[in-house]
C-alpha cells in the first residue's frame, strides 16, 4: 500500500481523495489514493466480479494515464465497497 508521509505518522491523501479506512478481515487499511485502492482491489477484495468491481478497477487504473480523475476513481471505489458490503469510514 502506498501512503505518502510528510512527517512522523502523517498520512496525506492524493488530491481528489478523502482518506478512507477500509476494514477487511477486521484489519484496517488506509486508502489515500487510486493506487492504494487498486492494490486493495487486486489483493484483498471479497467480490472480484460485477460491474462495480470492474468499474473501480478501470477507474483506479485510469488515473495513471489521466483517463480518469482521482475524484472519479474515489467514487468508483466507494461504489465497489458498497456493492461488496465492505466497511468504509472516513479517517
Amino acid at each position: 500500500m502506498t501512503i505518502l508521509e510528510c512527517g512522523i505518522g502523517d498520512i496525506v491523501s492524493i488530491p481528489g481523495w478523502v482518506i478512507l479506512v477500509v476494514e477487511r478481515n477486521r484489519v484496517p487499511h488506509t486508502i489515500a489514493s487510486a493506487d492504494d485502492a487498486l492494490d486493495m482491489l487486486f489483493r484483498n477484495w471479497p467480490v472480484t466480479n460485477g460491474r462495480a468491481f470492474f468499474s473501480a478497477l478501470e477507474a483506479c487504473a485510469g488515473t495513471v494515464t489521466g483517463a480518469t480523475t482521482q475524484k472519479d476513481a474515489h467514487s468508483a471505489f466507494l461504489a465497489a465497497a458498497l456493492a461488496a458490503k465492505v466497511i468504509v469510514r472516513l479517517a
Side-chain angles (χ1 to χ4, degrees):
M1 183 179 314
T2 304
I3 299 173
L4 299 176
E5 295 182 14
C6 59
I8 298 173
D10 293 339
I11 298 172
V12 178
S13 68
I14 299 294
W17 274 83
V18 174
I19 297 174
L20 305 171
V21 176
V22 175
E23 292 189 23
R24 287 286 302 126
N25 302 321
R26 298 185 183 180
V27 177
H29 301 273
T30 302
I31 308 295
S33 69
D35 288 340
D36 290 346
L38 192 58
D39 186 54
M40 173 65 72
L41 290 166
F42 274 123
R43 295 178 189 244
N44 195 9
W45 206 248
V47 179
T48 57
N49 59 23
R51 181 177 289 216
F53 174 74
F54 288 111
S55 292
L57 283 176
E58 184 177 358
C60 291
T63 62
V64 173
T65 62
T68 308
T69 66
Q70 290 283 335
K71 184 176 179 182
D72 288 343
H74 185 264
S75 295
F77 181 75
L78 287 175
L82 179 64
K85 298 181 179 156
V86 171
I87 297 169
V88 177
R89 59 186 167 85
L90 300 177

